[in-house]
Amino acid sequence: MSRIVNGRLRAATAQDCGDLVRLWGLLFGDVAATTNEPWRQHAAGWFTRLVDDADNARFPVIEVDGAIVATAIGTLELGVPNPYCAKGRTVRLMNVITLAEHRGHGFATTLVLDVLAWARSVAADRVDLSATPAALPLYAKLGFTMTSAPRMKLVL
């Protein structure tokens, strides 16, 4: 386990589920607070299934004084090999969050670097993410580039 400024980086465990679901809820602000809560149960079940599956997911957390104050998620997605992803192995980086009172200590950078190291260890071709405008400088600093592919979704 690495030591970082005022915090400790470690892999999440099943016991961290409640704390992580609460942190993930902060990413969605008022939407998480005003929508039905089934997403939290689904998120907890999903996390519980993947937390110990190091071949398919990585859940780094940073603790300060024994409390989780930052986290990120990396999941391996298998797709069709193509010119942009020769092996078809893409890591999706998501849910990078640091509690507001703990920002500015490099925790997000530490978490992203942890997921990138894991992505290399599972022989991923690339790492994809969606970012808020405020987070773009962090990802650019780490070598991420904007793509020309528009992102669309259909909610079922």
Side-chain angles (χ1 to χ4, degrees):
M1 289 184 262
S2 300
R3 296 286 299 169
I4 54 178
V5 179
N6 296 325
R8 181 174 71 106
L9 172 68
R10 67 171 175 82
T13 66
Q15 291 74 31
D16 297 320
C17 183
D19 290 333
L20 294 183
V21 171
R22 276 189 293 283
L23 275 173
W24 299 337
L26 296 175
L27 290 165
F28 303 99
D30 292 339
V31 172
T34 60
T35 58
N36 291 335
E37 294 299 308
W39 77 267
R40 291 181 191 274
Q41 291 174 336
H42 291 292
W46 173 83
F47 171 76
T48 301
R49 285 189 306 278
L50 287 175
V51 67
D52 293 322
D53 185 355
D55 292 332
N56 290 295
R58 176 74 179 160
F59 299 94
V61 298
I62 293 178
E63 286 183 328
V64 172
D65 297 327
I68 294 174
V69 301
T71 189
I73 300 171
T75 58
L76 180 63
E77 298 176 355
L78 302 178
V80 177
N82 64 71
Y84 301 103
C85 192
K87 294 177 274 184
R89 298 175 64 83
T90 300
V91 164
R92 171 89 39 212
L93 173 63
M94 61 193 140
N95 291 31
V96 179
I97 184 169
T98 301
L99 293 175
E101 60 271 23
H102 293 279
R103 292 182 183 149
H105 298 287
F107 294 164
T109 299
T110 299
L111 292 165
V112 172
L113 290 173
D114 181 86
V115 172
L116 295 178
W118 170 78
R120 289 181 184 96
S121 79
V122 296
D125 294 298
R126 69 179 193 206
V127 177
D128 288 349
L129 60 84
S130 297
T132 62
L136 291 177
L138 162 69
Y139 298 119
K141 175 182 81 173
L142 295 174
F144 286 84
T145 58
M146 295 297 289
T147 66
S148 60
R151 187 166 172 165
M152 299 174 72
K153 69 178 176 181
L154 171 65
V155 177
L156 301 177

